Amino acid sequence: NKEGNLIPVLASEMQARLAGKPADSGTAAHHGLLLELLARELNVDAKNIRDFELDVCDTQPAVIGGALEEWIFSPRLDNLLSSFCAIEALASDEVAKSLASSTDVHVVALFDNEEVGSSSAAGAASSLLKDFFNRFNEVVRENVKNVPADFVESSLARSFVVSADMAHGVHPNYQEKHQAQHRPNIHSGVVVKTNANQRYATNAL
């Protein structure tokens, strides 16, 4: 239940009382402790805050942990990790040398709003990537002679597409959360994911 399970916990009632912060302070819409915190950050009087829309996110930096320092503890790994790896690979010296003589177009497409359905104006289901290729096609036509009419369509048909994402490995304390035949084990290699709703690019398997 998002309305009940995702409410930010600011402080305990006991600590608020010890600090002289009454638990029922503030307006009917917002707790007085939250208003005081915002007022301090904004350097304004709390009474001058009429209303607000607040997004709460984890601000703790990523750290390496575990007895053998093999774990990455970090928010938003899905899907910053694949995005980072894709950009690093494309920008590497080895790839740059191979691209120098290549006539192919190499693209890393990174989209917003995956967790809310990818259907936003900047999401993967939008026309963003198609629009990019259409604009690129116009540039090619201005600089290259005899470009076929179906240049974009034929180029996409010959393309190799990788949809890179994170996979949830089996947690030893919550093994029952995974289906018996769908259990990505840590240190067991790359996970190849398929989706019945055709959300991934694994249509060649």
Side-chain angles (χ1 to χ4, degrees), residues 4-199:
N5 300 140
L6 298 180
I7 297 176
V9 178
L10 297 175
S12 66
E13 182 178 354
M14 180 59 69
Q15 186 62 28
R17 289 180 178 178
L18 291 175
K21 312 291 185 183
D24 59 351
S25 62
T27 66
H30 306 295
H31 197 285
L33 186 58
L34 177 58
L35 287 172
E36 182 179 312
L37 176 64
L38 293 176
R40 187 166 62 248
E41 289 292 324
L42 298 172
N43 195 26
V44 299
D45 192 321
K47 296 179 180 179
N48 293 330
I49 300 178
R50 302 289 297 180
D51 203 352
F52 56 85
E53 182 174 332
L54 189 66
D55 290 330
V56 182
C57 63
D58 190 353
T59 60
Q60 297 184 75
V63 297
I64 302 295
L68 300 178
E69 296 188 341
E70 59 182 318
W71 311 119
I72 301 175
F73 300 113
S74 173
R76 298 174 292 278
L77 281 175
D78 184 10
N79 189 27
L80 292 180
L81 184 59
S82 297
S83 302
F84 173 80
C85 291
I87 296 297
E88 282 288 294
L90 192 61
S92 67
D93 292 337
E94 293 77 6
V95 174
K97 292 177 181 178
S98 66
L99 293 180
S101 59
S102 175
T103 58
D104 295 328
V105 178
H106 297 75
V107 177
V108 174
L110 308 177
F111 300 97
D112 289 332
N113 312 127
E114 176 197 2
E115 302 302 337
V116 293
S118 300
S119 57
S120 69
S126 70
S127 63
L128 183 65
L129 189 59
K130 181 180 178 181
D131 294 341
F132 163 76
F133 282 118
N134 286 332
R135 293 195 300 270
F136 178 78
N137 178 40
E138 295 301 319
V139 174
V140 172
R141 290 182 179 279
E142 292 176 1
N143 295 274
V144 180
K145 296 180 179 180
N146 301 321
V147 176
D150 64 341
F151 174 70
V152 174
E153 292 78 9
S154 60
S155 297
L156 291 176
R158 295 194 305 270
S159 296
F160 181 81
V161 181
V162 174
S163 177
D165 197 7
M166 302 291 287
H168 294 277
V170 176
H171 193 295
N173 296 345
Y174 301 95
Q175 298 188 40
E176 73 280 359
K177 298 296 183 180
H178 290 264
Q179 298 178 11
Q181 301 302 318
H182 298 82
R183 302 170 64 85
N185 293 312
I186 297 176
H187 298 317
S188 295
V190 176
V191 176
V192 179
K193 301 168 69 174
T194 60
N195 184 277
N197 295 322
Q198 302 293 306
R199 293 285 185 179

